[in-house]
Amino acid sequence: RVAGPCVMVLFGVTGDLAKRKLLPAIYDLGNRGLLPPGFSLVGFARRDWKDQDFARLTHDAVKANARTPFREEVWKQLAEGIHFVPGEFSDDGAFDALAMALKEIDQTRGTGGNYAFYLSVPPKFFPAVVKQLKRTGLADAPEGSWRRVVIEKPFGHDLKSAHELNEITNEAFPESSIFRIDHYLGKETVQNIMALRFANNLYEPIWNRSYVDHVQITMAEDIGLAGRAGYYDGIGAARDVIQNHLLQLLALVGMEDPTSFEASSLRREKEKVLKAVRLPADLKNNTARGKYAAGWQGGEKVVGYLEEEGIPADSTTETYAAIKLEIANRRWAGVPFYLRTGKRLGRRVTEVAVVFQRAPHLPFSKDDTEILGQNALVIRVQPDEGITVRFGSKVPGTAMEVRDVSMDFAYGESFMESSPEAYERLLLDVMIGDPPLFPHQREVELSWKILDPIEEFWATQGQPEDYPAGSWGPPSADEMMARDGRVWRRL
Ligand code: BG6
C-alpha cells in the first residue's frame, strides 16, 4: 500500500503528541519506504521559527522516539521537505502565508495540491483552524486532488459538544474527508481481533451468550498524569479512554461480521453494537470510580492525584473507572461486559478477556478440580502482545487431578515482522485515504450516549474513592464484581 505525493500540515507541532508519536511515526514510515515521493511536512505554530528550527525539533523527536533505527539518508530525505509557517490561529496573514507555502511546495516537490491537515491541538482551537482553512480555500480540493482533516480526541466532552464540534468541522470538510483518530484502532493487536474472529472458524461458534459467561476489557496504566494535568482534570478516566478506546474494543469484540473491510461495512457493524449497548438501571452498584492516593510504584514513592501539580485540591475527577454494560441483541443478551481503566495501577496492561461458562458437568471429584477456573480467551493488546487460551488439563500423575493451564500465541515468536506503531498505520491510511480504522461521527455520538448518563450520575456522587497508587483500583470495583459472583482478572 503506497500513498501518492502529498503534504502533511501539522498544527500543534510543539505538543507532546507531535514529539512523542507523530513526528517519529512519519520518520518510521520513511524508513520503511512508505512515504510517497516528494512528501513534505509543514509545521504551523505560534513560534518565531524558521524551517530549520522545526527541522531540529523533528530531528530530536525522531532520535528520542522513533521505532526504527536512525539512518542519515532517510532523515536527509525527510528534512528536505520540512517547512515551517509561524502564526496564530486567529491570524489571517499567517494562513495566507500557509496557502502560499503550500502552492510553492506543490511546484517544487510535485505534491499536486494533496494536503492532510492534522489538528493536534486542543479542541477549543478546532473552530478557529477550520474556519481559516475554509476562508483560504485550503479545505476545498481542486479537481484531481484531495484535502483531508485529521482530528484527535477528545471529540467533545459529551454528546452535545461532540455534535457541535462536528458541525463546525462539517462546515469546511465533508464527512468523507474527516479522519478521527482513535489510536487504539491503529494497534496490530486490536486489528487482530477481527482476524481472530473472522478469519477462523474455531471461535465464532462459541462467541455468544450460549458459551460466554462475561467479557472483561481492561486498560491499566502505571503512569500518572505525565504532565497532562491541564488536559486531564475535568475529563477523567471514563471520558479519556472508555468513551473511545474501550468502547471501540467492545464494538470489535461484540460486532457481527462485516461483509467487507470497507469503512461503510465495518462502521455499520460497530454502530449496531454501540446502539445495542444498555446500561444497568442501578448505576451506583454497577459502576466504580476512584482516584489514586499516594503510594509506591516501581520502587518509587509517588504522590496522590490531588497533590499533583496543577490539580485543584477539591477536584472530583476520577483516575479509575469501571462500568458494566450489556449488549441487547440475540448474540449477547444477558452477557455482562465489564470495562475498567485506571492510572497508577499495578502495571501497564491492556487486554480483552472472553470468559466462558463452566462445563455443565464435571465427572471428577470436587477435590480434583478445586482450583479449576473458567476457560478464557485473552487477547493481550499490550505490552506483551499475543493471545492466551486458558483451559483445564490433567496434572501428570496417577490421580485424576485437573488444573488450569494456558496456551500462548506471542507475536514475537510467530512473526519476524515488527509491528508498526499505531500512528504509522493511521498516518499512512490518511495519506492513502483509507478510512476503515477511523471512527465515524455516528460512533462518536453513540459512545457519548452510553457515557453521558454515567457521567451525570457520577457528578452527583462527590469525590471518587481513593486507591493507593500501585494497587488495582478502589474496593468498590471489586465489590461491583463480587455482587455478580465474579472477580476481576489478576493481571
Ligand atoms: C490516550 C489517553 O488516548 O491513551 C492517555 O489520553 C493514555 O491518557 C493513552 O495514557 C494510552 O495509550 P497507549 O497506547 O499507551 O495505551
Side-chain angles (χ1 to χ4, degrees), residues 184 217-221 241 245-246 340-343 345 349-351 382:
Y184 263 60
I217 302 180
T218 302
M219 175 185 164
E221 295 189 280
V241 300
H245 310 327
L246 298 199
R340 65 172 160 164
T341 183
K343 296 215 181 266
L345 296 183
V349 52
T350 299
E351 63 159 49
Q382 63 188 28

Side-chain angles (χ1 to χ4, degrees), residues 14-184:
T14 53
D16 186 56
L17 186 71
K19 287 191 263 193
R20 270 190 320 113
K21 301 281 185 184
L22 305 179
L23 298 170
I26 289 172
Y27 167 84
D28 287 328
L29 283 173
N31 215 350
R32 294 184 207 271
L34 293 171
L35 282 182
F39 172 82
S40 301
L41 174 66
V42 176
F44 184 106
R46 206 178 39 185
R47 298 274 164 115
D48 190 14
W49 274 4
K50 301 269 180 292
D51 293 349
Q52 59 267 33
D53 298 304
F54 176 43
R56 195 169 313 120
L57 173 113
T58 307
H59 180 268
D60 293 349
V62 167
K63 280 251 161 153
N65 298 315
R67 280 259 175 123
T68 57
F70 190 82
R71 290 198 291 150
E72 201 56 51
E73 66 273 23
V74 176
W75 166 249
K76 259 201 181 132
Q77 223 176 3
L78 182 64
E80 274 168 18
I82 288 186
H83 304 269
F84 185 76
V85 178
E88 308 251 356
F89 299 145
S90 57
D91 181 356
D92 286 1
F95 277 82
D96 293 340
L98 174 65
M100 293 274 288
L102 287 170
K103 236 187 202 148
E104 226 176 281
I105 292 171
D106 282 342
Q107 273 155 23
T108 53
R109 296 185 58 84
T111 39
N114 301 321
Y115 311 147
F117 300 101
Y118 199 121
L119 271 59
S120 177
V121 294
K124 65 174 184 221
F125 296 122
F126 287 8
V129 178
V130 169
K131 231 163 93 189
Q132 290 284 13
L133 295 176
K134 190 175 157 74
R135 184 189 64 77
T136 47
L138 285 172
D140 304 317
E143 197 60 29
S145 63
W146 54 258
R147 304 288 157 93
R148 296 179 189 134
V149 67
V150 187
I151 49 180
E152 269 287 343
K153 70 173 207 23
F155 311 126
H157 193 73
D158 51 19
L159 178 61
K160 185 167 170 281
S161 53
H163 189 72
E164 286 164 5
L165 199 62
N166 193 48
E167 290 206 324
I168 291 163
T169 320
N170 269 158
E171 269 171 33
F173 292 92
E175 176 63 32
S176 59
S177 303
I178 304 174
F179 287 69
R180 296 175 190 84
I181 295 256
D182 183 316
H183 79 283
Y184 263 60

Side-chain angles (χ1 to χ4, degrees), residues 414-426:
S414 300
F415 296 117
M416 297 288 283
E417 296 86 348
S418 68
S419 299
E421 224 282 328
Y423 277 98
E424 280 181 62
R425 167 73 200 254
L426 297 175

Side-chain angles (χ1 to χ4, degrees), residues 276-292:
V277 166
R278 298 285 176 273
L279 294 179
D282 177 1
L283 289 177
K284 190 167 179 58
N285 281 319
N286 290 293
T287 66
R289 62 199 265 277
K291 65 171 189 311
Y292 61 82

